[in-house]
Amino acid sequence: MRNLTVLLLALATTPAAAQQLATPPSTTTLYRATEPKVNALVHTKLEVRFDYAKRYLYGREWVTLKPYGYATDSLRLDAKGMDIKSVALMRGGTPQPLKYRYNGWQLAVQLGQVVPAGEAYTVYIDYTAKPDELQVKGSAAIAGAKGLYFINPDSAVAGKPVQIWTQGETEANSAWFPTIDKPNQKTTTEISLTVPAKYVTLSNGQLVAQAAAGPGLRRDTWKMDQPHAPYLVMLAVGDFKITKDTWRGKEVSYYLEPQYAAQARAIFGKTPRMLEFFSQRLGVDFPWSKYAQVVGREYVAGAMENTTASLFGEHAQGTARELLDWEYTLVEREIAHELFHHWFGDYVTCESWSNLTVNESFANFSEVLWAEHEYGPDAGAAQAYRSLRTYLRGPGNSQKPLVRFQYADKEDMFDGVSYQKGGSILNMLRAHLGEDVFFAGLKTYLTRNAFGTGEAQQLRLALEEASGQDLNWFFNQWYYRAGHPIVTIDYQWDAARQRQAVVVRQTQPGAPFVLPLQVDVYTNGRARRYPATLRHAVDTLYFPAPTRPELVNVDAQKTLVWQKQDNKPLADFAYQYRHAPTFLDRREALVAAQTQLSDPLAQKTLVMGLQDKSDVLRGLAIEQLNLKNDTLRKAAAPILARLATSDPSVQVQAAALLALGNLKQKRYTKLFTKALDSKSYRVQGAALQGLAALQPTQALARATAFEADNKGALTVALVLVYGQAGSLAQWPSVLAKFDAADTNNRFNMMSGFGAMLGRLDDPTALTQGITRIKDMGVQFKPYGVDTPLLALLQQIRQQQSTRPNAAVAATLVAQAAAEIEAAK
C-alpha cells in the first residue's frame, strides 16, 4: 500500500537480451498487465544490521533465482535509495564480480553468461539501505512508503520505545533489500538480524538460531521454508514481551510493549479459535508453521498480514480500562482480517494489483464470518451492513470496477471497492450459491493455487466447478463492471385478481443488473418465500395473495449490493420489525420510523427498538429518538434510564446517557454523578456531558480531576466541557488533546473546540485553533466536512465580533474559509 515511483523495465523480445531501465509512463489509462517474469525468485538470504544513529540498514544478500520460460543473461532487481557496494555471481561459494547499472530505483545486472531457463543461480549483493533519505510518499490507505522504519532510534522522546519494523505492501520492501518487488513472485527466506541483545526480534517463519555477536549484540536467524511474496517479508525489533499460546501444536504468539502485556490474551487471545474456525470453514488448514502478532508504534496503517507475523498499529494495545470500550470494529475485526489473509493473500496471492480483490475482498468478508460465528447472525449482518455502507458512501467508488486494469497508481486499488464492495459481493455470492457450495468453491480455489497466485477468473472457475453453474454473468456484472443497482420498490395488491404486485425500478446509469433474490410474502402471520430474478429497468413481480399481505419483504436474505428506496407504508415496516427475522429487517424499520415520528406507530416501533436483542440496534433506536415529542419522551425516558445504568453494552449505556443529557432534567443529576464512577471511559464521558448541561461548574471541576486519567470518549468530553465552561488556562490542555486525538475524535471535539475559540481573548490561541480547523477542512473536504466546518468558523467569527480580537478573528476566519473553499 505504497505510492512509489515505478521505473519499468523495457523487456527485449530475444530471450538473452539485456534488460533496460526505463522511465514510468505518464498516462493513467495504460493497461496494467501482470508483471512479466524474466527471472523467478527462489530463495532470499539476508544478513542485516542497523545503524540507529544514521537510520541505515547494512545488508548482505544472497538471492537465488531461475530464468522463467526463456534463457537470460541479465537480471533486474528493485532496490530503492540504496548504496550498492558490490554485486557478484556465486560460483561454488566464491563471488565473481558482475557488471551492473543502478539508477537509485532499479539494479540492472549483467550475468556474464546465458543462464538456461529453470537453472538456479545466486547473486550476492553488498548494500546499504537508507529508508529515511528515500523520497517517497504514502497513500490514502497507508501513510508511508519507506519500507523500513526506525522509531525513536536515539531515545530522544522519553517514554516512547525504540523500535524497528517494516511495511512492505505494495512494493516498499525493496527499500531495505533488493528483490523483484511484484506480487506474482514467491520466495523462501532466511534473515539474520544483528541487534542490541536487550531487544526481541520477529520475522517470518521460525527462529532457528540465536548467538552472541559481539559486546552487547545478538544475532537472530529466522527461516521461512514456504514461499511467499516479497511484500510479505517482515522484521520487527524492539522491547517486546512475548505471550505464547498454541493451536494444533503450532506456536501462536503476541508481541506487545511490556506495560500492555497483561492484556495480551484479552486482545489477541481469540486467535487460536479463529485459526480453528477458519481452517474448518475453508476446508484448508492454516498452512504456515507459526502465527505471531506484533504491535508497533507509529505504524503507518491499521495492520498488515506479513506471512506468519502480522503487524498492528498501536491502537491494538491498551490498558484494561481502555479494552472495556473497544468495539468489534476496532481490533477484533482486524485480527480476523489479517489472519484470513494467510489464506487469501499469503497462501494464494493476487497475481497483479489489478486483481487485489482476491486478497482484500476476502479479508473484508472474513470480518463478517467471524462476527457471525462468535456473536451470532445479528452481529455478522451488522458488520456486513457497515461494510456495504462504507462502500456506498465513498466518493467515486461507484465509478470503479472491482477488477481494474487501468489506474493511475497501484495505491489507488486500496479503496472501498477492493475492500468493502468486494467483501459485500462475496457475502451476496455466498447467499446465492448456498453455504456448502460456496465454501467448497473456495477450497478448490485455495488448493489449486496453493503457494501461488490467483485472479478473479480462477475464483470464478473454482466456484463454477463447485456449483455446476455458469457464473460468467455474475463476474462480468460484479467484478468487471462499475457501480451497483439503485432501485425503487412499489407495491400494489389487486383484490380482484387476488395477487400482490411488486414493481422494482432500476434507476442507475447504464444497463440493468441481473439480480436473483428471494421475496417473503407474509399472510396471516406466516411467510412464504418465492425466488425471483430482476433483469430489466422495470420489473413487475406477481405473487398469489387472496388477502392483502401484512408484509412483502423484497430481498428477504438482505444480502444484495444495492441502494433502495422501499416505498412501504409505515404499518408494513412496523410489522417487519416485529416479524421479519434479520438484523437489517429491523434496522430498516427503525430508520423508517424515524422519518415519521409524529405517528404513534413509529413511536411504538422506536420504543421497541430500545429493547432490541442487538446492542447495535438499541444504540440506533436511541439515536433515532426525538425526545422533544412529549409522548415519545414519556415512553422512552424510563427505558433510557435503565439502559444507562444496566445495559450489558457500554456503548448503549453511553448513548442512553447522552440522550438523557439532552433532556437537561435535574432528576438525572444523581444518575450522571454515579455514572462518573464507571470504569468505562465512554460511559464517564457521556455522564460528564450530561452533568455539564445541568451543573457546569461541578462538571468543570470533575473534568479537571479527570486530567490524570482520560482516554477516548472521556478525553472528548473534557474538551467539550472546557469549551463550555473553561478558560485560557485550559487551552494548552485542549490543544494537546486535539493534536493527540485520531481523526474521528477530533471531529467529535470540534464543537467544544470551536466554542472555546469563540470565547478566548488570545490571538495566539485563535491562530492555533483556526489553523487546525482549516487543516481538517482541507484534508477531509472530499468527505463533505467543509460545510459544517465553514459554519463553525463563522460561528467563531460571530462570537468574537464584540471581543477585543474581533479583527484578528475575522481575518483568520476569512483566510481559513478561502483555503477550504479552494481545496479540491
Side-chain angles (χ1 to χ4, degrees):
M1 304 178 187
R2 313 282 92 152
N3 276 326
L4 298 175
T5 303
V6 182
L7 295 174
L8 297 180
L9 184 65
L11 299 176
T13 56
T14 55
Q19 301 170 49
Q20 303 296 318
L21 300 174
T23 56
S26 59
T27 177
T28 61
T29 58
L30 178 72
Y31 174 77
R32 304 289 182 171
T34 298
E35 184 72 11
K37 284 187 179 180
V38 178
N39 288 281
L41 292 172
V42 177
H43 181 67
T44 303
K45 179 181 178 180
L46 298 170
E47 292 182 356
V48 302
R49 55 190 177 90
F50 305 97
D51 188 326
Y52 283 79
K54 294 181 178 179
R55 304 188 184 200
Y56 287 177
L57 176 149
Y58 302 115
R60 298 197 301 159
E61 177 180 36
W62 294 261
V63 57
T64 301
L65 310 101
K66 291 180 179 180
Y68 192 89
Y70 304 95
T72 187
D73 63 358
S74 60
L75 168 67
R76 186 271 298 161
L77 296 172
D78 300 297
K80 301 179 177 70
M82 298 179 181
D83 288 342
I84 305 296
K85 298 179 180 180
S86 65
V87 181
L89 184 69
M90 299 302 298
R91 288 187 175 277
T94 302
Q96 176 182 313
L98 295 175
K99 295 180 180 180
Y100 65 89
R101 290 182 300 112
Y102 181 56
N103 66 358
W105 294 93
Q106 290 183 323
L107 178 65
V109 180
Q110 294 298 318
L111 298 176
Q113 65 185 59
V114 175
V115 182
E119 181 177 300
Y121 65 94
T122 299
V123 170
Y124 168 79
I125 304 168
D126 189 356
Y127 67 97
T128 300
K130 304 176 178 180
D132 274 28
E133 299 176 15
L134 191 61
Q135 298 300 309
V136 291
K137 63 179 181 178
S139 66
I142 289 194
K146 297 189 300 183
L148 178 74
Y149 295 79
F150 289 84
I151 306 303
N152 200 25
D154 51 8
S155 300
V157 181
K160 180 187 289 188
V162 176
Q163 295 178 350
I164 300 173
W165 45 259
T166 60
Q167 167 56 42
E169 194 172 29
T170 49
E171 297 172 10
N173 270 344
S174 49
W176 65 275
F177 67 95
T179 189
I180 303 175
D181 210 349
K182 301 298 176 183
N184 62 337
Q185 291 281 347
K186 293 289 178 89
T187 179
T188 55
T189 55
E190 180 180 327
I191 304 178
S192 294
L193 303 89
T194 299
V195 300
K198 62 183 177 180
Y199 293 140
V200 169
T201 70
L202 176 66
S203 188
N204 314 95
Q206 298 290 329
L207 180 61
V208 297
Q210 283 189 309
L217 297 175
R218 189 187 71 251
R219 176 171 165 168
D220 291 356
T221 300
W222 293 84
K223 193 170 183 180
M224 180 74 178
D225 290 330
Q226 297 157 301
H228 59 145
Y231 76 87
L232 297 168
V233 176
M234 72 85 68
L235 61 82
V237 182
D239 182 17
F240 301 111
K241 185 170 182 180
I242 308 171
T243 302
K244 294 184 179 181
D245 282 332
T246 59
W247 173 78
R248 296 191 188 178
K250 295 182 179 182
E251 181 181 303
V252 179
S253 52
Y254 323 123
Y255 290 62
L256 289 88
E257 295 171 37
Q259 67 267 34
Y260 298 109
Q263 280 71 249
R265 286 195 174 90
I267 298 168
F268 293 108
K270 291 184 179 180
T271 303
R273 289 201 290 115
M274 287 186 183
L275 283 161
E276 186 64 27
F277 169 65
F278 289 147
S279 293
Q280 290 190 12
R281 199 70 199 88
L282 292 170
V284 177
D285 289 345
F286 178 75
W288 309 101
S289 60
K290 71 126 194 295
Y291 189 54
Q293 292 165 108
V294 58
V295 178
R297 285 288 187 103
E298 298 182 9
Y299 185 49
V300 292
M304 179 64 202
E305 66 275 13
N306 309 300
T307 316
T308 76
S310 291
L311 175 60
F312 292 77
E314 61 195 86
H315 65 281
Q317 60 188 5
T319 65
R321 284 196 64 190
E322 288 180 283
L323 266 61
L324 293 174
D325 289 337
W326 283 12
E327 299 180 67
Y328 176 75
T329 54
L330 180 63
V331 177
E332 188 173 344
R333 173 195 62 81
E334 281 189 340
I335 293 171
H337 182 112
E338 307 309 333
L339 177 56
F340 209 65
H341 265 310
H342 279 71
W343 286 269
F344 295 92
D346 296 9
Y347 190 51
V348 181
T349 308
C350 62
E351 185 179 76
S352 66
W353 300 120
S354 294
N355 277 279
L356 183 65
T357 178
V358 298
N359 289 12
E360 295 299 348
S361 299
F362 277 100
N364 178 271
F365 172 61
S366 76
E367 301 165 10
V368 176
L369 281 182
W370 178 250
E372 184 178 277
H373 172 77
E374 183 72 358
Y375 302 107
D378 280 359
Q383 182 59 31
Y385 178 75
R386 291 185 198 103
S387 192
L388 178 59
R389 183 173 58 180
T390 298
Y391 157 69
L392 292 174
R393 289 181 173 180
N397 282 347
S398 64
Q399 306 303 310
K400 296 177 285 189
L402 187 53
V403 176
R404 247 167 290 163
F405 293 105
Q406 281 86 22
Y407 51 77
D409 192 287
K410 58 190 175 298
E411 311 305 325
D412 299 340
M413 292 298 300
F414 294 80
D415 59 12
V417 179
S418 294
Y419 285 73
Q420 285 82 15
K421 183 182 183 182
S424 300
I425 288 169
L426 289 171
N427 198 42
M428 175 174 60
L429 185 56
R430 172 174 64 143
H432 176 65
L433 295 177
E435 290 280 320
D436 292 343
V437 167
F438 176 76
F439 283 103
L442 298 193
K443 180 179 180 180
T444 297
Y445 170 80
L446 289 169
T447 54
R448 188 169 289 165
N449 302 293
F451 298 109
T453 60
E455 57 176 294
Q457 295 290 11
Q458 290 166 306
L459 176 63
R460 174 183 64 82
L461 292 171
L463 290 166
E464 287 185 342
E465 182 175 319
S467 66
Q469 300 180 31
D470 184 324
L471 294 174
N472 264 303
W473 68 271
F474 185 95
F475 277 75
N476 288 339
Q477 175 173 277
W478 289 110
Y479 279 75
Y480 301 101
R481 172 183 172 181
H484 55 270
I486 301 174
V487 305
T488 60
I489 307 174
D490 293 285
Y491 306 85
Q492 185 176 3
W493 178 59
D494 188 334
R497 298 186 179 183
Q498 296 188 343
R499 68 181 186 182
Q500 173 71 46
V502 178
V503 181
V504 184
R505 294 177 173 84
Q506 297 191 41
T507 61
Q508 74 279 352
F513 281 73
V514 177
L515 300 172
L517 49 77
Q518 306 291 323
V519 181
D520 283 354
V521 179
Y522 288 76
T523 305
N524 297 323
R526 301 185 66 179
R528 182 174 178 183
R529 178 161 292 185
Y530 297 91
T533 300
L534 307 177
R535 300 180 182 276
H536 308 98
V538 180
D539 281 291
T540 302
L541 308 176
Y542 295 100
F543 306 98
T547 60
R548 185 189 181 280
E550 290 103 351
L551 171 68
V552 178
N553 194 6
V554 178
D555 183 27
Q557 294 172 295
K558 293 293 181 288
T559 57
L560 283 184
V561 177
W562 65 359
Q563 286 175 280
K564 68 174 179 179
Q565 178 181 318
D566 197 346
N567 295 322
K568 283 199 285 272
L570 179 61
D572 288 25
F573 276 116
Y575 185 93
Q576 178 173 309
Y577 181 86
R578 297 191 306 274
H579 296 279
T582 74
F583 168 90
L584 276 180
D585 288 320
R586 305 195 313 277
R587 191 187 192 284
E588 288 176 0
L590 292 175
V591 172
Q594 194 271 338
T595 65
Q596 303 179 56
L597 285 176
S598 60
D599 191 309
L601 187 57
Q603 297 170 16
K604 181 179 179 181
T605 302
L606 286 174
V607 171
M608 291 176 65
L610 294 176
Q611 302 166 84
D612 196 278
K613 62 182 180 178
S614 165
D615 60 331
V616 175
L617 293 185
R618 293 197 300 277
L620 176 66
I622 293 170
E623 293 175 8
Q624 305 283 18
L625 293 175
N626 177 5
L627 296 180
K628 294 180 180 179
N629 181 288
D630 291 340
T631 304
L632 187 53
R633 183 175 64 254
K634 289 177 182 178
I639 302 173
L640 289 172
R642 185 173 71 251
L643 296 176
T645 57
S646 60
D647 195 274
S649 163
V650 294
Q651 288 78 25
V652 173
Q653 287 182 39
L657 286 165
L658 290 173
L660 292 173
N662 289 331
L663 295 178
K664 300 181 180 179
Q665 293 182 358
K666 290 185 177 181
R667 61 179 170 152
Y668 296 118
T669 302
K670 186 177 293 186
L671 186 152
F672 296 139
T673 303
K674 182 178 180 181
L676 288 174
D677 295 329
S678 171
K679 295 295 185 182
S680 162
Y681 291 120
R682 188 187 294 262
V683 171
Q684 284 183 318
L688 186 62
Q689 290 185 61
L691 185 63
L694 301 172
Q695 298 183 2
T697 303
Q698 182 182 343
L700 181 60
R702 293 301 299 265
T704 304
F706 283 135
E707 281 289 350
D709 182 12
N710 62 89
K711 298 284 179 66
L714 180 56
T715 305
V716 171
L718 297 189
V719 171
L720 297 178
V721 170
Y722 292 151
Q724 178 182 343
S727 65
L728 186 60
Q730 280 85 37
W731 175 248
S733 173
V734 167
L735 197 62
K737 289 176 172 55
F738 184 88
D739 288 344
D742 61 25
T743 300
N744 285 336
N745 278 334
R746 286 186 183 184
F747 280 113
N748 292 335
M749 293 174 178
M750 201 61 78
S751 62
F753 196 69
M756 197 167 193
L757 289 170
R759 294 186 294 102
L760 293 183
D761 296 326
D762 185 277
T764 300
L766 286 170
T767 301
Q768 292 169 332
I770 290 172
T771 298
R772 282 161 173 77
I773 294 172
K774 178 262 295 180
D775 290 344
M776 295 286 283
V778 170
Q779 182 178 358
F780 297 103
K781 185 175 180 179
Y783 296 90
V785 305
D786 51 320
T787 300
L789 291 186
L790 287 170
L792 181 64
L793 287 170
Q794 294 306 320
Q795 174 187 312
I796 294 168
R797 182 192 61 78
Q798 180 62 36
Q799 290 174 322
Q800 285 283 340
S801 63
T802 58
R803 304 183 75 90
N805 295 296
V808 173
T811 299
L812 289 170
V813 167
Q815 292 172 344
E819 287 193 47
I820 293 173
E821 289 169 349
K824 296 182 179 179

